[in-house]
Amino acid sequence: MLERADALKALSDEVFDVVVVGGGVTGAGVALDAASRGYSVALVERADYSSGTSSRSSKLVHGGLRYLASFDIGLVREALLERQINARVAPHLVTPLPLVVATTADHRPDRMTGVGLNLYDALALDHRRGRGRGRGALSEDERGWSPDRHRTLDPREVVEHVPALDGQDVKSGFLFYDCQTDDSRLVLTILQEAERFGAVPANRIEVLGLLERDGIAEGVTVRDGETGSEFAIRAHNVVNATGVWADRLRPAELHDEAEVPVIRPSRGTHVTLPSEKLPLRSGAIVPSGGGRFMFALPWLGRTLVGTTDNEIDDRDLDHVRAPEEDVEYILDGINSFFGTSLGSSDVQGAYAGVRPLIATGDPKRSVDISRRAELYETSSGMLTITGGKLTTWRRMAKSTVDRLTERDGRDAPCRTQKTPLGQPIDALRLPHVPGTSPATREHLAARYGSVARDVLQLAEERPELARAVVADGPVDVLAETVHAARTEHARSLGDVLLRRTRLGLTAARGLLADDARGAREVAEAIAPELGWDAAGVDRGVADFRREAALEGLVPGA
């Protein structure tokens, strides 16, 4: 990515067509869509890219099978189409995931599950076969991965897919397919692609307010979070893509407008567990009582379990803690279903995210919360896009930029449905750098695509960087941390460990053990890139420990 100092100079010197506020998946998508249609684009993020909701999801790119229970068929169909597009444009980042709904002696799925899976298949059917052969139809290669129809499993097959159920009285199961991703890496890749089209992103830039002329927004005033300096970013259009924080930018304007929906934050907590203690080859749907369920998923060498769904006080959303009661709830569900006895000491990392759910404000509806996206324009001309979910990021961005083109009278159709995100590479084609294993190269190919060559070059130049960050854990190597600080705008240990790599989620306990020795080794590796001396390293480690405590990364710590 462009050097941050160069990005800041461009932001202060140039006049842009669009300034996007918010560096999550929606903001990144708007930047890519607008830039690929010929707009000049600036993007600013108050903290770090994807540091809010977009790094704290269930890591699924899916249609949302559970929404069929509320007959939200349009939302599911839209998400299934977007799932297909994601898998096509980013095949190394969005990969197929088999999911199992198992029946045991103690746990039986709802009798409508089979009906729901048939409908799920039907809604995805034309995406598997394509939409005809007219202009714009996709070839078989362009369509990419297509899901098989769901099928039933016998007890032996269920255990093959979900070894953690071995020893349980398994009766049968259903197998269906969705997709999985590394959400934060997806955001970074979208931003990198947007930058290739000319967009200028910068993190640690807080928006203070709008620049206006005659009541119409003409940019934003911002503060650099690192230096404290304030400056203006001039732009003809302002897009507010801050998700759950959307009503904090010009709140009086938003709240005074009619028909503006209300954001109702909802906290979702996840935990990661050692895969050997809860082994999975495919994902599993885990009943958690009261007709609800959780996902248990293989992810980055761990088993990821979640999520919860609790309303949250929206006064402090900057550090959302994974609370002990949520972790206990998840472990209780796991232990009941799999017959295990896992405790908080087994949890390698925990995190909580806040979903920007939309309340319609209709007093006649007892349940008026939706995962649908909402786009609205207020009196200053600012466009606000919020709601939605990870899977539908591209559709949300498209609707936003479509509105811009309508206002401007431009003939500039959306291109993102066919715009590749990064460049996949076969791990076998990566160089065999001493100290790296086949598993390491597969991991790097999946995370970075062809950019994995740059990471491996660092490990070749500095052999000490070929070592795994955490022994007997995920295969992330130190070279990745240096690459993050050098080329991906990582400015802190949290940026590196929570979002560029995911070790803060998959191995927080190990990183913070022995007086945070693992975190210190990473800080020392990236210190030359960030200009840290010994005191800077100490501050970096202390800041990460504080962040880990605020967010409850290590339950019981």
Side-chain angles (χ1 to χ4, degrees), residues 163-483:
L165 283 172
D166 193 14
Q168 300 301 297
D169 189 1
V170 178
K171 303 297 185 182
S172 63
F174 292 110
L175 177 71
F176 72 101
Y177 294 87
D178 263 314
C179 288
Q180 187 177 47
T181 192
D182 181 333
D183 48 5
S184 192
R185 294 304 314 184
L186 180 63
V187 173
L188 285 167
T189 306
I190 295 168
L191 278 174
Q192 289 162 356
E193 194 65 28
E195 193 177 79
R196 189 175 73 83
F197 281 101
V200 181
N203 56 358
R204 300 292 190 277
I205 302 294
E206 180 181 5
V207 172
L208 304 176
L210 299 184
L211 290 174
E212 291 181 278
R213 185 173 65 178
D214 299 328
I216 301 301
E218 290 195 335
V220 291
T221 56
V222 300
R223 177 189 298 122
D224 184 343
E226 296 193 349
T227 66
S229 63
E230 298 182 8
F231 60 95
I233 301 174
R234 292 166 294 166
H236 302 302
N237 300 282
V238 178
V239 174
N240 175 5
T242 55
V244 76
W245 294 269
D247 55 4
R248 299 189 178 187
L249 180 58
R250 287 293 286 264
E253 177 183 331
L254 291 179
H255 295 161
D256 288 346
E257 298 283 339
E259 305 297 328
V260 172
V262 176
I263 299 169
R264 294 273 287 273
S266 171
R267 183 186 67 231
T269 300
H270 297 77
V271 303
T272 60
L273 297 160
S275 56
E276 62 272 15
K277 293 194 175 184
L278 198 68
L280 304 174
R281 293 192 182 96
S282 301
I285 308 300
V286 179
S288 56
R292 299 178 60 193
F293 63 83
M294 301 181 294
F295 294 106
L297 311 169
W299 188 65
L300 299 183
R302 298 295 197 197
T303 295
L304 173 69
V305 188
T307 180
T308 61
D309 187 7
N310 300 294
E311 287 193 18
I312 186 172
D313 186 335
D314 63 358
R315 287 174 295 181
D316 184 10
L317 300 176
D318 294 337
H319 289 287
V320 180
R321 183 178 180 82
E324 300 287 344
E325 59 268 26
D326 280 14
V327 173
E328 184 177 344
Y329 169 84
I330 291 171
L331 293 175
D332 285 348
I334 288 296
N335 289 333
S336 173
F337 185 64
F338 290 104
T340 50
S341 55
L342 297 167
S344 61
S345 62
D346 295 304
V347 175
Q348 299 303 299
Y351 65 93
V354 182
R355 308 175 189 92
L357 303 184
I358 300 299
T360 64
D362 184 349
K364 297 180 182 179
R365 297 180 61 188
S366 59
V367 178
D368 64 341
I369 303 298
S370 173
R371 295 305 302 270
R372 290 187 177 278
E374 292 283 353
L375 173 67
Y376 43 95
E377 180 175 352
T378 45
S379 55
S380 67
M382 179 175 68
L383 293 177
T384 294
I385 178 71
T386 190
K389 59 179 186 171
L390 178 70
T391 305
T392 56
W393 67 269
R394 193 202 66 86
R395 179 66 65 94
M396 295 170 68
K398 178 182 181 299
S399 66
T400 306
V401 184
D402 282 348
R403 179 71 67 85
L404 289 177
T405 61
E406 290 169 7
R407 291 198 324 197
D408 295 346
R410 288 199 187 196
D411 181 15
C414 178
R415 302 169 59 185
T416 54
Q417 74 275 20
K418 293 186 179 181
T419 301
L421 300 179
Q423 181 64 48
I425 192 170
D426 188 334
L428 295 176
R429 299 185 62 185
L430 291 174
H432 290 209
V433 174
T436 63
S437 66
T440 299
R441 292 188 288 275
E442 288 177 9
H443 156 78
L444 294 176
R447 175 169 285 172
Y448 301 97
S450 61
V451 178
R453 293 181 180 276
D454 297 339
V455 179
L456 286 167
Q457 184 175 351
L458 282 172
E460 188 168 37
E461 294 169 356
R462 296 172 55 187
E464 72 276 10
L465 298 181
R467 181 173 60 79
V469 177
V470 178
D472 301 321
V475 296
D476 307 59
V477 293
L478 277 168
E480 294 181 74
T481 70
V482 175
H483 175 79

